[in-house]
Structure formats: structure tokens, C-alpha cells
Amino acid sequence: MLSVVLPAYNEEKMLAKAAETISGILEDAAISYELIFVNDGSRDGTWQEIEKAAKKNRHIVGVHFSRNFGKESAIFAGMANASGDCCAVMDCDLQHPPETLVTMYRLWEQGYEVVEGVKRSRGKESALHRASAGMFYRIISRAVGFDMSRASDFKLMDRKAVEALLSMPERNAFFRALSSWVGFRSTSVEFDVQEREAGESKWSTWSLIKYAVTNIVSFSAVPMQLVTVAGVFVFFFALVMGIQTLVKFFLGHAVEGFTTVILLILIIGSIIMISLGIIGYYISKIYEEVKGRPRYLISKRIGGSHEGTEGMD
Ligand code: UDP
Ligand code: MG
């Protein structure tokens, strides 16, 4: 069975349509399915719409958050409540074309464990949005170590990958990147981002900035190590300045007492910065430990009495 997780935040206008379209397409393709709508603390009639849809179609499951916890939390809640052998995640505004779901499912049947939806085009958005998204993806791609610029939250994952994600205790999980981080046999499917038919995008500029910062920080300690790098630069600068000051002093050009002041500022400044960097490095290690990601993930096993494939740390 295929579980489809659909986070929904103030989507009353799109919900019934999404439920009908997606279930129609999956029924036509003869795929047994369940649709898990996660109402992420909507302030409109989204939950009533989910209840209505669930009454009409017994394949529909609804999960109701007590307040808005954000899309990533909704995705994880949906996966935790999924009972299918594979689990897809898509937006419930139909910007992710449901036909692609069938393609993804067929790839899963062929043995792929993670099928990533990759954006062929980014749909309509403002120039500013495009530029800042571009910058975010450049930074995050560096941090994660693979190209994320066309990545999306539209994916299909095997149960093994879902269990792996759910086993991670970290709070600020960046779903889009973690699904690649877990590895497994993966492939990708291109899709065109559709235009939103009703309702509006939930992302304000501020929430996008917060999203960017949280996710960069959850995947990389590079910003913290900038201090160390800066410290090293200041140190070299200090060496040059120190030599120049000493030369002036010995040539007798220096103002009385000024040499000592310059030297002290330079030495103390670079020592402080380098020490901060060292402390930062330890904090980054602590941060990695606190995130408690599994040390490894096993996707297959052969021999012995165990049949299982879980083998998680
Ligand atoms: N969403 C959510 N919680 C939020 C914000 C968004 O569950 O706090 C859902 C939303 O209902 C939609 C998906 O995440 O199904 C993508 O949101 P949106 O369409 O606003 O983002 P965009 O497509 O503009 O990137
Ligand atoms: Mg959308």
C-alpha cells in the first residue's frame, strides 16, 4: 500500500479538490493507497474539510495538530501515522502533479527505495524570491554536499527510509536534505511545479529567512568555524602590523608607548578569536552528538538467522 502524506495549513479551498484528484488518479492506476492529511493547526475550515473527505472516502486519514508546528513537523507526523509499504509526501495545493506519484510508485515497484521529485521549472515566483531561494540553495548544497537547487519536498520513500527518518531524534529536521542523507537506492523524477489554484503560499519573507537559517545550522557547522578562519586572518594581519610597528620603533619613528599598545591589541585580539573558534569547534561536536543521528543505516543483510533489514544503531 502507498501512503501519501499531505501537510495542510489553511488549505480549505484546495483540500476537497486535492483529495478527489489524488484518489482518482491512484484508483485509476490500481494502486492501493491511503491519504494522510495532517492539519497543521489551520485557522480556517481545513479540519472540517478533512473530516468531510474522510467520511466520503475510507482511504483518507486525518491528523489534527493542536497548533501550527510547521510543515516539517507535519511531514514527520504524517510519516509516523502512515502504514503503507512506501510513503509519499506532497503538498496538498496540487502544485506537485499527482500524475508523477504514479511514476514514482512504479519506480518503487522496480526496487528504488527513495524516489526524489526534482523540479524541472520553479513555477511562477517573484524575482526577489527567486534570488533569495537561489542563495539559500547554494549555501545548503554546500553544507549537505549535494546539489539541492532543484530539490523539493515531493518524494516517495520505502518503509525502510521512513523508519530511518523517524528514528532520528533531532528536532530541527530538514526533510528535504535528510531524505538524501539516509542514502538507500535512490533515483529521481522530474516534474513541473504547477500553479496554485486557490489559497496562497504560506511562506512570508520572514518565515523563509527563519527556515533558511534553521536548516543551514542544522546541517552545517561552517558558520561557527568562520570565527576560527577570521582569527587566523587577524593573526596574520597582526604579524604584519607587529613587524611594521617594531621596525618603526627601532628606527625611532614611533610615538612613545604606542608600540606596546598596538602589539597588545593585536596579540590579544587574535588569541581571543582563535580561542572562540576552538570553543566553537567543540560546540559543533556537541551539537552533532545532541542531534543523535544514527551512526549508520543498513539497507540489506544476508545470512544469519535474522531476516530483518532494520539494523539501526
Ligand atoms: N504547510 C504546512 N504548514 C505550514 C506551512 C505550509 O503544513 O506552516 C503546507 C501547505 O498546506 C502546503 C505545503 O505545506 O500543503 C506547501 O506550502 P505552500 O504551498 O504555502 O508553499 P509553496 O508551494 O509556496 O512553497
Ligand atoms: Mg504550494
Side-chain angles (χ1 to χ4, degrees), residues 131-149 174 177 208-209 211-224 226:
S132 41
M135 193 155 85
F136 169 65
Y137 283 115
R138 263 202 302 282
I139 299 176
I140 203 82
S141 301
R142 258 228 187 134
V144 181
F146 22 74
D147 180 27
M148 297 279 304
S149 60
F174 182 31
L208 276 175
I209 294 173
Y211 180 78
V213 172
T214 317
N215 292 324
I216 290 171
V217 169
S218 92
F219 254 91
S220 123
V222 171
M224 195 147 50
L226 288 182

Side-chain angles (χ1 to χ4, degrees), residues 283-293 295:
I283 293 179
S284 79
K285 291 294 148 201
I286 294 172
Y287 182 50
E288 265 169 38
E289 293 291 331
V290 168
K291 275 192 284 194
R293 280 193 197 159
R295 230 171 275 151

Side-chain angles (χ1 to χ4, degrees), residues 7-9 11 40 68 70-71 91-93 95 196 201-203:
Y9 177 55
E11 299 281 5
D40 185 10
N68 182 250
K71 187 181 177 186
D91 286 0
C92 81
D93 53 9
Q95 281 188 294
R196 197 182 239 286
S201 175
K202 306 301 173 307
W203 296 96

Side-chain angles (χ1 to χ4, degrees), residues 64-181:
H64 190 33
F65 276 2
S66 58
R67 65 167 172 86
N68 182 250
F69 282 99
K71 187 181 177 186
E72 310 287 310
S73 306
I75 292 175
F76 276 83
M79 292 197 300
N81 284 283
S83 44
D85 310 303
C86 60
C87 184
V89 174
M90 66 191 289
D91 286 0
C92 81
D93 53 9
L94 294 178
Q95 281 188 294
H96 295 158
E99 300 78 29
T100 311
L101 211 50
V102 179
T103 322
M104 289 178 157
Y105 187 80
R106 301 288 174 234
L107 285 167
W108 173 77
E109 284 180 324
Q110 286 168 27
Y112 288 100
E113 289 158 322
V114 177
V115 185
E116 310 255 0
V118 174
K119 295 173 192 157
R120 190 179 296 136
S121 59
R122 291 192 52 96
K124 261 197 188 158
E125 41 182 25
S126 71
L128 182 70
H129 188 125
R130 195 180 290 262
S132 41
M135 193 155 85
F136 169 65
Y137 283 115
R138 263 202 302 282
I139 299 176
I140 203 82
S141 301
R142 258 228 187 134
V144 181
F146 22 74
D147 180 27
M148 297 279 304
S149 60
R150 290 155 71 226
S152 71
D153 283 340
F154 187 22
K155 330 186 172 265
L156 186 143
M157 288 164 300
D158 185 76
R159 180 119 294 267
K160 276 181 272 182
V162 172
E163 295 297 335
L165 285 179
L166 290 174
S167 74
M168 300 196 189
E170 63 187 279
R171 304 287 124 196
N172 283 317
F174 182 31
F175 174 70
R176 205 171 283 196
L178 272 180
S179 70
S180 315
W181 184 91

